[in-house]
Structure formats: structure tokens, C-alpha cells
Amino acid sequence: MSATVSGETAETTHAITVTLNRQERSAEVEPRLLLVHFLRGTLGLTGTHVGCDTTSCGACTVLLDGKPIKSCTFLAVQADGREVTTVEGLVRDGGLHPIQEGFKEEHGLQCGFCTPGMMLTATALLAENPNPSEEEIRWALSGNVCRCTGYQNIVKAVQWAAAKMAEEGR
Amino acid sequence: MYPGRFEYQAPTTLEEALATLDRYGDEGKVLAGGQSLLPLMKLRFASPRALVDINRVAGLDRLAEEDGELRIGALVRHRDCERSELLGGRWGVLADAAPQISDPIVRNLGTVAGSLAHADPQGDWGSALLAADARVVAASAGGRREIPLDELLLGPFTTALEPNEIITEVRVPDPGARAAGTYLKLERRVGDFATVAVAVHVSFADGTVSRAGIALTAVGPRNLRATDAEAALAGAPLDDEAIREAARLAAGAAEPRDDVRGSADYKRNVVRVFVERGLRMAARPEERGDVPRAAAAPPGRPEPSEEFAGEETAEDVMKEIREKEDQ
């Protein structure tokens, strides 16, 4: 921990180690650094998007220990010792994850801005419930906003991924 | 956007957390789920000198029934309540409120106790837990005390908590063998704050109401209890006439204001309709459907039908409107 003097508040940076996409990453961070800025700015992983920046849209969704959270409303320092998965971590063995294939096959995106968040939320849903109903998919994705009004195909993309994963026995 | 500078402390025991908070006095804030606090800090509405992150304190994530009471630890997330078997049945008001809070992603982090400490008049837990007659355990370096929710919530974002106190647990009393309730929320879209919401929690004994809890969200400076309606219901059978009178009294207890979500008159009417619906569901729990997923249908433009005909769905309301138009 190194002390820095900044304004009236004596601020210290904190050493954190995060298991990011199955790899340990360490850094010194200011407490006020948001997880999304840590991912995009410090680590250069720009697949996680900043949308509304007010905890409403879900574009910045990442998985924290397997559960979707909004990385604009979580401090990087809170992620110390925990496991974070971003869209970059979905790729396995150099190939697309079934959820990524599903979005491609079913045209689950138009502009693509909400897509990383959608895919991470969907991945967490399928891990818990491999064969969700349409209603369960819509319910699970209700915190992720798409402004191209592409929900119809997003739901189909998740169903496509569920079928593919069942077939592959994943 | 990002918050102003602050010092970050992450204690691993409650004693350490309380000592740390005590040291900062009114310049420290407790960080639990952070789903209300961090947005406020990003907007610079709040600029605490220090955050005391309690997420690494062991033992605060307990959700359990003990001596008939429900105990909700400081780190129990909305999601935990949404999925807990404990909350259904007699605590239907809590089970129905949980999945209607914000959106599924926020529910993974946000906490019940944090929501009470935040004291947003549009918060859902405040009403659901007021109706259920809950109290909180507030701990500080100097000791601990219990605060009934009615005394905890003072006004918008204002509680009776001292700056050095942490809500370690929410306690919900045993509602007795026969109890039912629900939480009905009108929202413009998922994740929005309530336009109006109503919590209903009724205990029965010998065919009459032994205790009724009715609380209102987003129609006052804090979550309000409809005490006149509660008193009118106690000791009497929960029949149509009693339900209508309680709904009328509850609407009178609301203090709504015109805003972007609706006019004061509209909101007062929603209170009346939702209290009526909620009490009817409490009277016949076997006829109720899945409240949160069906979403509480906005009150239909026609007057609510005099006779209760089981679960009212959005389709029923639309059908009723069309039939009236055809006449």
C-alpha cells in the first residue's frame, strides 16, 4: 500500500489480484476506480461497454464469481481475490462459445453495443438452468437493455445456445 | 462518471468494522451491495471520506428462520430472498417483493439491510417489511439495540441510525400459523422505481384478522403504514365490505404528489385498487397467480368489479374494457 496525498483526503492505493478470464492479474488501484474502468482502461479489455453509467442498462455486465453484476457499480478494489469473466473470456480453445455462435446464427444483434452484457447474463442463466423457457430467458435478461429492439432474436439466440450446449453435453 | 476520492477499508470481522466506522464518525459510510450508494457517489450526491466495506465480514449473509422469526443478515442479497424457500407462504409479502426489486443483475448485489439503511421513499423493502412488522438490529462499537422499522424510517433518505451503527440483521416476527400477503408494484418498466406499490400482510385466527399490515411505497416522504386501514381490519372477518373500507382508508393515508410517473389522484387510486387486490389475494391465497411475473396490472379505467372473480390478469382487464366499449 502506498500513500498519496490528494486534496483533503489521504488516499492510499490498494494492491489487488483478480482472476480475470481464468488468468491472475495484479494491479495497484485507487479505491474509487470502478471495475469497468479497471477492465477497459487499466487492462485494455474494451469488450465491456459503458452504456448508461447509472446502473440501468446492463451494457457493462460482467460475471463476478459466475453471477452477473454491473461493473459500473462495483469498485475494482472489491474484486480483489475474486473471479471476473468478461466477454473476452467466453472464447474457449480459440473458438466461439455456443452463446456467441447463437447470437451470430440467430442474428441476435444489430449494433452490438448491448451484446457482451446480454451474452454474459445469458451464460450465467444457462449455467444455472440449461433448458430455460422463453419466459425464463426474458425474465433473466430483463436487466439488459437493447435499444435496437432486438429482443426477439436475442431470445432465439439464447435458445439456440441452450440446444447446442445440450447437444455437446456442456 | 466516477466517485470523489475516499479511503477504503475492508475489515474481516464485525468488531473491526464497527471500530473503523466509529473512528470516521459521520464521515464514513458502510458499503454492502453498493447498488444505491455507488450511484449516489458517482453523481457526487454523496462524498464520504471513507467507505467501510463489510462484504468480507463473515457471518452476515445468513438468511434463516429461528424461533419462528425470520432473520435476514446484513449481506443477504435481494437474489437470496428471491430464491429462498423460507419466504413463501406466510411471508408471501416478502417473497413477492424480492423479484420486483430493480432488475436481476442489481439483485445479485443489492442487500435488504442496505436498502433499509438507504431509506429511499420509493424503496420496496421498506414497505414489505413495515407490513410484516419487522425491526432491525443496529450494532455499534458501544453495543447493540433493536429498532422497529416504523421508528427507523424518518423521512427521505433519513433513518434513526447513528453514523457509527451498522444494521447487522433484520428480524421479521412470526406471523402465526395462518398468514398471507403480497406486494403489488406498478412500474413503467423493469428496473424503474415504483410509481406506486402496496404491501399487504395479514394474520388470521379463528376466521378473523388477528393482525393486518398495510404499507405504501412512493406515495409519501417515507414508506407509509396505513394505520387506520390496519386497525379497521383487525378483529373482523376479511370480507368484501371490510376489504373495500380498508382500501378506502389506505388511499386516504397516502400522500402522493404529481410527478413524471403520474398525478397524485391517479396514484391515490392505484393505492386503493392495489390494497383491494392485495387483501383479496390474502383472503384466498389458493386463487392467486404468480404475482411478480404477471406484473401487477395497472388499474383498469372502469371501476373495479364489485365481485371478486379470482385472479385478475391484464387480459381480463383488457377484455372488460373492450366489453364496455362494445356496449
Side-chain angles (χ1 to χ4, degrees), chain B residues 88-93 174-181 201-205 210-211 282 285:
Chain B
R90 300 187 305 154
W91 284 303
V93 64
D174 185 349
R178 268 211 72 206
H201 179 70
V202 185
S203 294
F204 300 92
S210 51
R211 181 192 172 274

Side-chain angles (χ1 to χ4, degrees), chain A residues 32 53 68 70 72 80 128, chain B residues 1 3 42 83 103 108:
Chain A
R32 64 167 164 171
D53 211 3
K70 296 181 182 180
C72 78
D80 184 29
E128 199 175 42
Chain B
M1 289 190 293
K42 287 171 69 176
R83 287 156 196 247
D103 65 52
N108 283 337

Side-chain angles (χ1 to χ4, degrees), chain A residues 118-137:
Chain A
M118 289 282 180
M119 294 198 300
L120 287 161
T121 303
T123 305
L125 168 69
L126 294 178
E128 199 175 42
N129 179 0
N131 187 24
S133 66
E134 178 181 339
E135 196 198 350
E136 285 168 334
I137 295 170

Side-chain angles (χ1 to χ4, degrees), chain A residues 61-70 82-83 85 120-121 124 128, chain B residues 77 79-80 83 105 108-109:
Chain A
T61 301
V62 300
L63 303 185
L64 178 75
D65 297 330
K67 288 179 197 154
I69 63 155
K70 296 181 182 180
R82 307 185 69 174
E83 199 172 306
T85 306
L120 287 161
T121 303
E128 199 175 42
Chain B
R77 320 278 164 180
R79 168 199 169 97
D80 301 325
R83 287 156 196 247
I105 312 177
N108 283 337
L109 285 177

Side-chain angles (χ1 to χ4, degrees), chain B residues 7 68 72 97 109 134 140 153-154 173 185 194 206 208 225 267 274 282 285 289 297 323:
Chain B
E7 293 169 32
I72 307 170
L109 285 177
S140 71
L153 305 172
L154 299 180
K185 178 176 178 178
D206 306 323
T208 61
R225 271 183 66 186
K267 291 178 189 179
F274 276 13
E323 281 169 4

